[in-house]
Every structure is written in C-alpha cells, then in structure tokens.
Amino acid sequence: MLGGHMMTSDNLALGLLQNALTASSLRQAAYSNNIANADTPGYKAQSVEFESLFQNAMTTAPAAQLGQKSMPISLNNSTALLNIKPEVVSDPNTTVNNNGNNVDIASQMAGMAENQLRYNALSQDMSIRFTRIENVLTGV
C-alpha cells in the first residue's frame, strides 16, 4: 500500500524515482560540501550510497537464491525496495593531502557533473510519468 491505495506499477515507479532523486540531491550536497572543505585539515570526503544498496536488495531477494542474478522489480517485493534510503558515508582511512584531507577536487567536480546529468534524467522521467497520469485523468 502506498498512501492508502493499492500499490500499482506507476506508484512503484514514482516511489523509486523519488528515492533516486533524493539520493541524487543528497549526493549534490555532498559534492558541494566536499569541494568547500577541500582545504580543511583532516576533513574526509562524504559520498552517498544508494544504487549499491538497491542492487544488494535485488540480488539478495528470494529469486536470487534460485540461481538468478537479480530479481525483477515486482509489486510483491516493492515495499522492501521502497524502504531503501540513501546513506551519507565517509572514508576515514584515505588521505590525499598532507593535512589528512582526502578530497580530490578533480574527481569531485567530475562526480558533480555526472550527478547533475543523472538528476536531470530522473526529473525528466518523473515529469513524463506525471504527464501521462494527468492525460489519463483529464481524458486527453
């Protein structure tokens, strides 16, 4: 159930897209924070884990135990997948600079650009889905 209504594939897709957009938004904030702290002694870069958590849930689902590498997203396993939330993590064991900081500006900038493209694609996907739902409701 999502919002008191029976789970549909549209609800599932929108919920998963929402979680992915949240992860992308958090990731953008982490990149910005990392870049802002590039010269802060001892600062450890933050990153956001989401896709790996999602992939883990897919490969450890019951169907994976039957020899499949992954389990297709279905309405039956949707609750577990919708409960996967992005996590902000940092790596305390690496050092890039002499001051103990591990921010690599070039990699942070590249990651930020890639993440912006991902966010734009996710936003466009969500917009298209909402337009289709609106067309169904208005009879267009």
Side-chain angles (χ1 to χ4, degrees):
M1 303 273 286
L2 184 67
H5 302 294
M6 187 171 196
M7 177 66 73
T8 66
S9 60
D10 282 334
N11 288 353
L12 174 58
L14 289 171
L16 295 173
L17 277 168
Q18 180 179 356
N19 288 349
L21 280 165
T22 298
S24 188
S25 182
L26 276 174
R27 193 170 282 129
Q28 203 72 359
Y31 284 129
S32 295
N33 193 41
N34 292 341
I35 292 167
N37 285 287
D39 294 325
T40 303
Y43 178 81
K44 300 300 182 185
Q46 297 177 329
S47 61
V48 174
E49 289 188 11
F50 176 69
E51 293 80 4
S52 60
L53 299 173
F54 190 84
Q55 187 63 37
N56 266 356
M58 293 291 288
T59 58
T60 58
Q65 297 169 4
L66 300 174
Q68 296 179 0
K69 285 190 171 185
S70 64
M71 181 170 146
I73 298 174
S74 70
L75 299 182
N76 296 333
N77 66 347
S78 60
T79 302
L81 296 174
L82 287 172
N83 286 331
I84 297 168
K85 302 296 181 206
E87 296 177 9
V88 178
V89 297
S90 62
D91 179 6
N93 300 319
T94 61
T95 301
V96 173
N97 300 318
N98 291 336
N99 65 3
N101 186 308
N102 70 350
V103 175
D104 177 351
I105 291 285
S107 120
Q108 295 295 309
M109 295 296 285
M112 184 179 256
E114 178 185 334
N115 186 61
Q116 185 63 50
L117 292 173
R118 181 181 297 121
Y119 184 89
N120 290 346
L122 291 167
S123 295
Q124 185 175 15
D125 188 342
M126 187 169 267
S127 176
I128 290 167
R129 288 174 189 276
F130 278 131
T131 299
R132 275 191 294 199
I133 292 169
E134 180 181 22
N135 289 345
V136 168
L137 294 175
T138 60
V140 174

